[in-house]
Amino acid sequence: MTAAGAPDRDLRMPLRDDNPSSVDLLGFEDVVDVVEAIVTRPDLDPVTVGVNAPRGGGKTTVLQLLKRRLDVRDDIVCLLVSPWEYDNKTDPTTALIDEVLGGLEAELAKSRTLATR
């Protein structure tokens, strides 16, 4: 006990950052399993899937875990887009299209480089 009669152990909780994790510490693999099963079904092409959670709820972590799984496949190009990183003055649709086209162009260039080896 301290002089004031309080316990001398520190009861403060450590702060955790709000950054996405590359390691699944919260059991998101179950969510990733379901999303992967949906987006890889050939009878659901095209398909749109939403990942909804409050800020810090693990959306980006889920998407990064999913991307890691999909990146090993030759039949899928997976691009992660972070719309909150864009300037508010930029039209979000234009920014999204630019990001997708840039990502596809990079993948195409990579494929061409591999094909010429």
Side-chain angles (χ1 to χ4, degrees), residues 24 26-36 62 65 69:
D24 182 18
L26 298 174
F28 289 135
E29 290 290 343
D30 293 338
V31 175
V32 175
D33 289 343
V34 173
V35 177
E36 180 184 23
V62 166
L65 292 169
R69 287 191 193 180

Side-chain angles (χ1 to χ4, degrees), residues 39-42 45 69-78:
V39 300
T40 57
R41 279 184 51 179
D45 185 18
R69 287 191 193 180
L70 297 178
D71 279 348
V72 299
R73 297 178 58 129
D74 292 332
D75 60 332
I76 293 177
V77 174
C78 184

Side-chain angles (χ1 to χ4, degrees), residues 16-32:
R16 303 287 183 224
D17 63 22
D18 189 26
N19 294 321
S21 175
S22 60
V23 178
D24 182 18
L25 300 173
L26 298 174
F28 289 135
E29 290 290 343
D30 293 338
V31 175
V32 175

Side-chain angles (χ1 to χ4, degrees), residues 52-109:
N52 189 12
R55 180 180 172 133
K59 299 177 294 292
T60 302
T61 297
V62 166
L63 294 175
Q64 287 178 345
L65 292 169
L66 178 63
K67 182 175 180 5
R68 194 173 343 159
R69 287 191 193 180
L70 297 178
D71 279 348
V72 299
R73 297 178 58 129
D74 292 332
D75 60 332
I76 293 177
V77 174
C78 184
L79 304 171
L80 288 182
V81 179
S82 302
W84 57 87
E85 294 178 355
Y86 298 120
D87 183 359
N88 288 337
K89 297 174 188 163
T90 305
D91 175 39
T93 304
T94 303
L96 175 64
I97 291 170
D98 186 54
E99 189 81 21
V100 170
L101 291 177
L104 291 174
E105 184 177 43
E107 287 295 322
L108 184 59

